[in-house]
């Protein structure tokens, strides 16, 4: 485990007031915790939707509510009047004209479900982003961070994915919605000079992670000695990235960059079969595998070129895969009584 994963925000001496969307979600709750530990004020928005059981979202919120400078507002970013009211009231209360930055991590996530209900992905990921961009423009909030996804690379045949390669062949409506949001942010840079960091996250995992994603699902199945559902033959590969590394990357990207896209990836690619072996070995159990056809919305592999984030943001992932999986298993075992139920109903 890395000795010191605490990082400071670029302007750590100034205590800032951040707007953070999706704060009950997995990535945003990690970002919120780091900002609050650094002494900043965080206004967190989340609609506590039922994309997966809200119990897990409320658990994350409960961790954040221990910080006095955390202010939670239950709000859906597609509700423009409510969002506008929130901006007006909050900035008035803080006696400010703008937020230090808008860190926009709220999203409908999940590749495979987007083939079933694509509308909700476009409403949240595109219209929701547009609402925030407009309010940032009106309030003169100059800095905008967008959560994008490695899925925008589609089934790229490149050995390693670079930010400047083509991304016009997404394999799922989810990926298409993220690509659309990226383009929208660029247009606000072009028209209004917004400073934007667009972050392409690579399969993020860790304690209190998303219960619809492979890692928590596999940990639960193997620990409970139940069959795990494997799509395809398990040779598909991902550049899995630990949540604390992602949070530090988000915070480093608060610096002014003009408009820049950054890959944030763990810098190593593992197959799903290797993932299953690692989890089984750490739990000391034999996995039972229930095989299903490969999902057509899934991509074959992802691998991030992170040299731009290294050079411009001074960012480096510090968690290795074995340690990240160990931390995730430890969290799962400590909360197994209710997390098992959350995973089974996700
Ligand atoms: C993940 C997230 O769900 C997306 O929100 C994110 O944008 C994306 O990473 C990204 O990096 O861009 P995904 O790669 O599908 O998407 O992550 P997992 O759910 O962990 O799936 C990884 C692989 O395991 C996929 O091939 C999937 O088919 C497989 N899998 C997943 C299974 O075989 N069984 C499961 O129960 C779950």
């Amino acid at each position: 485990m890395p000795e010191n994963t605490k990082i400071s925000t670029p302007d750590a001496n100034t205590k800032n007031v951040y707007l953070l969307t999706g704060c009950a979600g997995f990535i945003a709750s990690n970002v919120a915790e780091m900002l609050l530990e650094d002494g900043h004020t965080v206004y967190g928005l989340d609609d506590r939707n039922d994309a997966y059981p809200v119990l897990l979202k409320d658990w994350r919120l409960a961790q954040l509510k221990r910080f006095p400078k955390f202010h939670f507002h239950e709000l859906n970013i597609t509700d423009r009047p409510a969002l506008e009211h929130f901006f007006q009231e909050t900035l008035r209360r803080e006696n400010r004209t703008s937020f230090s930055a808008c860190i926009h991590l709220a999203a409908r996530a999940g590749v495979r479900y987007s083939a079933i209900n694509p509308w909700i992905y476009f409403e949240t990921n595109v219209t929701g982003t547009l609402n925030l961009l407009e309010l940032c423009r009106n309030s003169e909030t100059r800095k905008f961070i967008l959560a994008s996804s490695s899925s925008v690379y589609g089934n790229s045949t490149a050995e390693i994915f670079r930010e400047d390669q083509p991304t016009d062949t997404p394999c799922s409506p989810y990926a298409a919605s993220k690509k659309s949001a990226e383009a929208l942010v660029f247009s606000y840079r072009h028209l209004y000079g917004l400073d934007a960091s667009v972050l392409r996250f690579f399969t993020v995992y860790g304690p209190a992670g998303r219960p619809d994603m492979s890692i928590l699902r596999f940990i639960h199945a193997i620990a409970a000695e139940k069959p795990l559902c494997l799509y395809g033959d398990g040779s598909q590969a991902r550049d899995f990235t630990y949540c604390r590394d992602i949070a530090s990357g988000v915070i480093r990207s608060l610096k002014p960059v003009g408009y820049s896209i950054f890959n944030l990836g763990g810098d190593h690619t593992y197959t799903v079969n290797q993932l299953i072996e690692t989890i089984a070995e750490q739990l000391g159990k034999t996995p039972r595998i229930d095989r299903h056809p490969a999902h057509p919305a899934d991509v074959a592999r992802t691998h991030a070129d992170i040299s731009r984030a290294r050079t411009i943001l001074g960012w480096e992932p510090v968690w290795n895969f074995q340690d990240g999986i160990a931390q995730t298993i430890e969290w799962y075992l400590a909360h197994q009584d209710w997390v098992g139920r959350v995973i089974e109903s996700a």
Side-chain angles (χ1 to χ4, degrees):
M1 190 189 315
E3 275 180 13
N4 184 5
T5 58
K6 189 174 183 321
I7 64 133
S8 291
T9 45
D11 44 0
N13 294 328
T14 317
K15 295 306 169 203
N16 292 304
V17 178
Y18 292 111
L19 169 57
L20 177 69
T21 70
C23 64
F26 175 39
I27 297 175
S29 59
N30 275 275
V31 172
E33 200 168 313
M34 274 193 191
L35 290 172
L36 292 160
E37 280 167 358
D38 263 0
H40 301 293
T41 297
V42 175
Y43 280 87
L45 303 184
D46 202 289
D47 68 348
R48 294 174 66 252
N49 67 53
D50 62 357
Y52 55 81
V54 86
L55 196 61
L56 178 55
K57 300 181 181 190
D58 286 346
W59 185 87
R60 297 184 190 125
L61 281 175
Q63 315 310 304
L64 299 177
K65 285 176 180 169
R66 293 174 301 161
F67 293 90
K69 289 186 175 178
F70 177 66
H71 307 283
F72 174 60
H73 289 256
E74 187 165 338
L75 199 156
N76 185 323
I77 54 168
T78 64
D79 184 345
R80 191 142 59 101
L83 197 58
E84 203 169 333
H85 182 73
F86 163 80
F87 263 75
Q88 276 167 3
E89 285 305 304
T90 305
L91 292 172
R92 182 164 37 225
R93 174 182 157 174
E94 288 286 339
N95 202 17
R96 303 171 60 100
T97 52
S98 60
F99 290 102
S100 307
C102 173
I103 306 172
H104 175 34
L105 309 185
R108 282 292 171 145
V111 175
R112 292 167 293 281
Y113 184 68
S114 73
I116 295 170
N117 183 356
W119 293 274
I120 190 78
Y121 283 75
F122 270 75
E123 280 157 22
T124 305
N125 301 353
V126 183
T127 307
T129 300
L130 177 60
N131 290 343
L132 283 158
L133 286 166
E134 265 299 300
L135 286 163
C136 285
R137 165 167 97 93
N138 292 338
S139 66
E140 295 187 356
T141 297
R142 308 297 308 153
K143 180 73 202 185
F144 196 87
I145 294 180
L146 175 75
S148 188
S149 159
S150 71
S151 62
V152 301
Y153 292 107
N155 263 323
S156 168
T157 51
E159 183 56 34
I160 187 157
F161 300 173
R162 279 175 47 138
E163 293 91 344
D164 54 4
Q165 76 180 64
T167 49
D168 45 14
T169 54
C171 294
S172 63
Y174 165 66
S177 74
K178 285 294 182 184
K179 179 66 189 170
S180 309
E182 289 187 357
L184 200 50
V185 172
F186 182 84
S187 71
Y188 273 69
R189 165 71 192 166
H190 174 74
L191 286 174
Y192 310 115
L194 193 82
D195 190 283
S197 301
V198 170
L199 306 177
R200 291 181 179 160
F201 300 140
F202 282 67
T203 312
V204 186
Y205 74 100
R210 279 201 0 242
D212 58 313
M213 286 177 63
S214 59
I215 294 190
L216 269 184
R217 299 194 78 73
F218 293 166
I219 291 174
H220 173 63
I222 297 171
E225 300 182 357
K226 293 182 175 181
L228 63 82
C229 155
L230 174 63
Y231 297 113
D233 63 3
S235 64
Q236 68 269 42
R238 293 289 181 275
D239 192 341
F240 294 104
T241 316
Y242 193 65
C243 53
R244 299 290 287 180
D245 280 335
I246 287 290
S248 74
V250 172
I251 291 169
R252 283 181 188 275
S253 78
L254 283 163
K255 70 189 270 190
V257 294
Y259 174 92
S260 192
I261 300 175
F262 297 99
N263 286 337
L264 296 183
D267 207 22
H268 293 280
T269 286
Y270 296 88
T271 65
V272 168
N273 287 330
Q274 287 172 319
L275 166 66
I276 294 169
E277 272 165 38
T278 304
I279 294 170
E281 203 174 287
Q282 291 199 13
L283 283 167
K285 305 238 183 193
T286 306
R288 291 168 55 199
I289 299 179
D290 194 3
R291 292 180 187 276
H292 294 260
H295 197 289
D298 268 340
V299 298
R301 55 179 279 287
T302 64
H303 190 179
D305 179 332
I306 55 170
S307 39
R308 187 183 284 177
R310 273 197 181 107
T311 310
I312 299 179
L313 305 178
W315 176 79
E316 189 77 47
V318 293
W319 283 81
N320 74 43
F321 189 57
Q322 291 286 342
D323 291 340
I325 294 290
Q327 290 290 306
T328 313
I329 290 177
E330 190 181 311
W331 179 84
Y332 166 82
L333 293 175
H335 302 92
Q336 196 171 10
D337 49 335
W338 60 273
V339 172
R341 274 182 287 121
V342 164
I343 293 169
E344 284 184 14
S345 51

